[in-house]
Amino acid sequence: MTGNPVARAGENDARVEAEIRGAGLGQLLRGGPLAEALHVVLVLVVAALVWNSLPLVRTIGWVGAVTAAAALRTWWRLGLGRRTASPEEALRGVRLTVAGVGLAWGFGAAAAIPELRLDQAAMILVVLAGIVAGATGTLVGDRRSFHYLLLTVLVPLPIGLLLQGHSRPHLLATFIVVLFAWGMDRVHRRAHRTFTERVRTAVLLESSKRELARQHAYLDALIASTPVAIAVLDDRRSIRSVNPAFEALFGYSALEAVGASIDELIVPESLRSESGELEARARGGEIVRVEVERRRNDGRPIQVRLSAAAVKATAEGALVALYEDISDRKAAEQAMRAARDLAERVARARSAFLANMSHEIRTPMNAVLGFVELVLDTELAPEQRRALELVRSSSEALLTILNDILDYSKIEAEHLELESIAFDLPKVVHATATLLAVRAREKHLELTVDVPPDVPHLVRGDPTRLRQVLMNLIGNAIKFTEEGEVDVSAAVVAHHGDRTAVRFRVRDTGIGISDEQLAHIFDEFTQADASMTRRYGGTGLGLAIARRLVALMGGELTVTSHVGRGSEFSCTLLFPLETPAGAATPRRTASLGGRRLLVVDDNETNRRILRDMLGAEGVAVHEAHRADAGLAALRRAATAGTPFDLAILDAQMPDQDGFELATVIRGDAQLAPTRLLILTSAGQRGDGERCRQLGIQAYLTKPIARADLIEAVGTVLAGTPSAAGGVDLVTRHSIAESRHMLRILLAEDNVVNQQVATAMLLKRGHHVDVVANGREAVDAVATERYDLVLMDIQMPEMDGFEATARIRALPQGGTLPIIALTAHALSGERERCLERGMTGYLAKPFKAHELFAVVEGRGPDGVEPGPTASPPVDVEAFRRTMEEAGAAEAVDGILATFVQTLPQRLDALTAATGGDSAEPIQRAAHAFKSAAATIGARALATLLEQIEAAARDGDVAEARDKLESVRAEASAALAYLQTTVKGGRDG
């Protein structure tokens, strides 16, 4: 059934032509000796007619010539029958013998006509005309044979006629001969064409019959050999034919099946109505494909895939049905369903185990961490405080390990889901690095952050998991680097429509990783070598989790490293761009476009980052790599009459640091008006006071976020140069409103958790009512007005979800903030709480600042503030820490707690410095410093640490001198956080 159709058509045409030639040759040879005998009879008749008119010799010669030609043709024909000749050879013989007979007749007539009367000549012409007319039939198979006869018979006649005379009758006879020859040629041509077409039609018909028979045989063989069972039904649903596969599938022979009803043969009784509907659909023109059950000859059911369609080429209403055995597939599907059900049960059991484990471990740890924080806020002996600090740090380390294990387990179980929310990408990077800046300073490392201006600010993704990855990479870089720098960068590598590909890179100058260790660096519970765990600590899960998180976000975490030179971890992630919601951009206090600025920093990376950040705002940034070069640049600019608008000085430089350079600048009358901004990687005791004494307008810590730097520079440029001691130091502050006390309902059945949360909230200044189950919570909300409800999920009598639903049904409960308290930290728990009507979520165990953030961030006056200028508290970094702990909603409340207690803490420190004893100063500074460092108020924490150190050394005077710096920084932090508390996010 296959082959080249063009080649096959060519072969058919050649075969048809050969058949036509064969038929024509057969027709030429038909007739036998009788035809030649007829020529002898005719010539004798003519001889009798002209016997007395022609000389005897001529008459006998004519008769002899015709008889000899006829005899020769007969002899040739008989000889052809005794031997095998090719068609071409036979055709040549026919043409020659025909020409011989024609010559005998034609030249004989031409020789006789001049001697005859006109009537006798006419009689001879009639005989010759009859011979030619008869040849149109006997020689119809070959045009050339007829032409030979026509020419040999008729061409000599005009010669004879004209030799007889030139009278009109002779000329007319000649014309008639010519006309007759032309007419006979046309007759023969038509007859030959008819003969050829008839033969062609017969040949093609026969060929079509053979091809049809062959195709039928092929289709029969194809149907017989196909592995799919086939049955053909008539309009009465009786079987007309089946193939061997049908016999094998259903167990019926063809004799048993043909003529039987298809329903009675293989369709179960309960499915016959359905079978009828399927047949009606198929006969209506639809191709039916359905999986059904049928019955074998032995009564066993069998699952088949039925395909049925009407045979449109027939008028008898035939229907073809194909049955494919799918029993094995159904069995496999059943096995797969069973395996899937088992896997789902195992996954549910695993999830329940993780949830229960999380609950059982976090619940007691909640009490431990909560009471430790409460006790640390009281007066303690040094040994007691050290012991409790050890308890707290050990508990937090244990909680970190637990979170790592739970994260890894969730990833393994595919229960970890990524969020898709809008967030500020540069802020996430800067905040994450800033959170770890203290650790870098402790090791005297340079931590740089490079986020170029072209990195999009607002993107959509999961900021929590991105922070977790960056936190792990930066933390590892700091951990394994003893000297040098850690460089964090984010750069755009490609744009894909409304998506941007950003490459994150963390590079260090640490110990590096060997090629052998690189092969296993991302394995679980694995570090570069076994001694790493003993020397540096860690579970060995961080990089494994980071790699999995990057993969979930659509990227790949890669590493390059050289032993002794450092490592570089990088990944590229694709973020959809988010359109800003239309909020107004915060106004800077001064325009930066066209300003001239000098950066004096010995670190090339820091200079490049500042150049890129400020250059994008239209600032002309000049650079100096040493203090003396910077001083020379300032003097050149002042002499040229184009002084710099601002000089940014690095606090830590070789030979001459930033403060020494600032002293020289202030001592030079030409340079004294220059505005100064100090950037430091490691804040020291007394830096703030030195800034005020030297008239330095701003003091910021690195790494600095681009927005914070721009706002700080704008604030400085908007002010007027101040004399030494008279300047208001710019750190990171804003003015905001104060917060207020909240009336809170705590629904918690665990007595320890009740005491912890109540003690924290009461100490914070809030009013707290406690109930032990959901039913009591509903009754309390119905009778009292509350600003917020803290609702435990797992409680007797009525759980938190049902209680929430009933509270929402109360008139006063529709908009009441309800925060879920749960020890479950698995993916989806927060979403589940929000879906059940709760407005926030706090995972146990929670720290005091976490509880305060989620509580005070839900106050009734909460209004989202606009972005503020250079905050003195790194809220984004702090938020990152809380998000990693599963308590992102708690950040605002924690900050509110700090806002409420800050005045009391400041008063306590003031009272302590008023006395002559160093121990109360140390104790008050330590408690204040601990709280400030926790929320990310690093500048304030650094000042408090300096006071604590001075008190520890017994230097009460120095501690007293730092108090004013603490007051200024605390005021800035308080003002900023009051706005932040009022604008707490909706969890």
Side-chain angles (χ1 to χ4, degrees), residues 291-308:
E291 294 180 359
V292 295
E293 179 183 308
R294 291 296 180 257
R295 184 185 61 215
R296 291 171 51 87
N297 191 11
D298 56 10
R300 288 185 300 154
I302 182 172
Q303 296 293 324
V304 295
R305 185 174 188 270
L306 168 64
S307 301

Side-chain angles (χ1 to χ4, degrees), residues 348-366 398-410 413 525 541 794 822-826 844-845:
R348 286 194 296 270
R350 184 176 184 177
S351 178
F353 170 74
L354 291 174
N356 291 334
M357 184 180 71
S358 172
H359 176 80
E360 295 300 328
I361 296 176
R362 287 172 179 268
T363 297
M365 286 187 66
N366 183 47
L398 179 60
L399 186 59
T400 300
I401 295 173
L402 173 64
N403 287 335
D404 278 350
I405 294 174
L406 286 177
D407 272 348
Y408 182 74
S409 300
K410 285 184 283 186
F525 308 104
L541 276 177
Q794 297 174 329
T822 174
H824 294 297
L826 297 180
K844 303 175 188 176

Side-chain angles (χ1 to χ4, degrees), residues 584-597:
T585 303
R587 288 184 304 164
R588 288 191 289 272
T589 53
S591 173
L592 302 186
R595 300 285 187 150
R596 299 177 70 252
L597 185 148

